[in-house]
Amino acid sequence: MPELPEVLTIAQTLDKNIRDFRIEKVTVDSIFRVSPVVEDFQKALIGRSINKISNYAKNIVFELDDKRYLVVHLAMTGQLMFRKLESKPFRWERVLLTLSKSGKTLNLAYNDMRMFGKMEIKDQSGYKELEQKYGLNPLDENVTSSAFHIQLKKKNSIIKNVLLDQKIIAGAGNIYVNDALFMAGILPKRKTTSLSEKESGALLKGLREILREGIEHRGSTLDDEMFVDPFGKKGSHQNYFRIYGKKTCPNCQSNVVFEQVNGRGTYYCTVCQK
């Protein structure tokens, strides 16, 4: 699933390339569900201009000129990619936006093999409700170690699960959480109630560092090659993982433990993580 660095990479690329473009046509695959229903979804978008594209947590947000929003969640296998006007549809193309500006026309396709993703139109109140579903943004410099510590302790659960809970911490995903826990020296299955404020501070520092690296490297593209930017280019952060996907610990050369924790692949070192 695309995480914050991948989502931000897509949003920034789109904003740079299609801000102020007008939506001329909207095509929706009959087997893909949009909200509202297809006819209303198309009506809401056609003729609208794109004022800005940004992200909120793992959502890509198209701010439209009528103060409404097109919110896209990529889920497991979603992609937003430019398609040449004369080329055939992508294999898993579900929605196609035809855009124009100053005589230039572009196709932006939403592809989704497993169709767990969502495309929704929201008014201002609906967007406010969306924002309220998410917790702290770890990249927000106003978030202190103390506030982060308090937020983590809102749920009495293992730390990895809490970090992946979007209602507690927004945007972090499995890859970056694995590495942040390793950088902070904390075992993924430790209870949040056992963490000291100092450990929470180290975890916040590690999470910020690894997310910023992921953004700098334009995301992580794994072996399935599901993540690419809108031009079809892969990210490179997979070359800089700390412990995710490793067999031996880069610090102490011990064997890395791999197991499923709540269905998510989890890597850790029992020597370096306490």
Side-chain angles (χ1 to χ4, degrees):
M1 177 184 290
E3 303 178 22
L4 185 58
E6 290 77 42
V7 168
L8 189 58
T9 295
I10 293 168
Q12 290 177 340
T13 303
L14 292 176
D15 190 60
K16 181 178 179 181
N17 286 276
I18 60 172
R19 181 187 281 212
D20 298 327
F21 271 66
R22 185 175 185 268
I23 302 171
E24 302 291 350
K25 184 179 179 181
V26 179
T27 305
V28 181
D29 188 329
S30 61
I31 64 172
F32 183 71
R33 290 195 300 173
V34 294
S35 179
V37 294
V38 172
E39 293 79 8
D40 293 337
F41 181 82
Q42 292 170 315
K43 184 178 179 181
L45 291 177
I46 293 173
R48 300 269 61 89
S49 292
I50 300 168
N51 284 351
K52 180 182 178 181
I53 303 171
S54 58
N55 78 293
Y56 196 87
K58 295 182 184 180
N59 300 283
I60 298 167
V61 181
F62 294 68
E63 183 180 321
L64 306 175
D65 63 355
D66 64 351
K67 298 184 179 180
R68 287 191 288 182
Y69 305 86
L70 170 62
V71 179
V72 183
H73 195 292
L74 301 174
M76 297 295 293
T77 58
Q79 300 172 325
L80 282 166
M81 293 178 62
F82 293 119
R83 172 162 71 79
K84 293 181 180 179
L85 297 177
E86 66 277 8
S87 65
K88 295 180 180 179
F90 292 112
R91 182 177 179 183
W92 296 300
E93 186 171 298
R94 308 304 179 190
V95 178
L96 183 70
L97 305 180
T98 301
L99 313 168
S100 69
K101 177 186 174 184
S102 304
K104 183 178 182 179
T105 302
L106 294 172
N107 276 337
L108 178 65
Y110 171 74
N111 310 318
D112 196 344
M113 179 178 69
R114 299 182 69 180
M115 295 198 296
F116 293 153
K118 297 186 291 186
M119 296 186 79
E120 303 176 287
I121 305 293
K122 293 188 179 292
D123 59 16
Q124 289 185 313
S125 63
Y127 188 66
K128 287 289 185 185
E129 290 176 6
L130 175 75
E131 291 179 325
Q132 292 168 3
K133 292 180 179 179
Y134 291 93
L136 294 180
N137 176 0
L139 294 181
D140 183 350
E141 291 296 337
N142 293 318
V143 175
T144 64
S145 295
S146 177
F148 187 73
H149 181 65
I150 292 169
Q151 189 79 343
L152 293 180
K153 287 180 173 287
K154 284 185 176 181
K155 290 188 73 173
N156 181 17
S157 182
I158 63 173
I159 183 61
K160 189 185 179 197
N161 288 349
V162 173
L163 289 171
L164 292 176
D165 187 338
Q166 297 300 293
K167 294 178 182 178
I168 304 296
I169 306 297
N174 191 49
I175 291 172
Y176 298 94
V177 163
N178 267 277
D179 278 4
L181 286 166
F182 175 70
M183 293 161 73
I186 298 171
L187 280 171
K189 294 193 289 185
R190 267 187 67 183
K191 285 292 190 74
T192 53
T193 51
S194 74
L195 293 177
S196 67
E197 188 169 331
K198 182 179 179 181
E199 287 175 315
S200 294
L203 182 54
L204 176 59
K205 180 181 177 182
L207 189 56
R208 282 175 169 164
E209 183 177 344
I210 201 66
L211 288 172
R212 286 172 179 149
E213 285 183 12
I215 293 165
E216 180 183 352
H217 298 140
R218 296 183 62 79
S220 304
T221 301
L222 303 182
D223 292 342
D224 60 10
E225 298 187 358
M226 278 296 169
F227 171 69
V228 290
D229 75 8
F231 290 102
K233 295 181 180 178
K234 301 176 185 178
S236 63
H237 187 69
Q238 64 275 10
N239 301 319
Y240 302 91
F241 290 159
R242 295 299 208 283
I243 199 166
Y244 185 86
K246 305 289 187 184
K247 294 183 178 180
T248 57
C249 175
N251 288 348
C252 70
Q253 283 68 56
S254 298
N255 290 334
V256 169
V257 176
F258 171 77
E259 63 179 291
Q260 296 289 329
V261 176
N262 273 8
R264 310 299 299 274
T266 304
Y267 298 83
Y268 58 92
C269 173
T270 54
V271 176
C272 297
Q273 291 171 262
K274 304 299 182 183

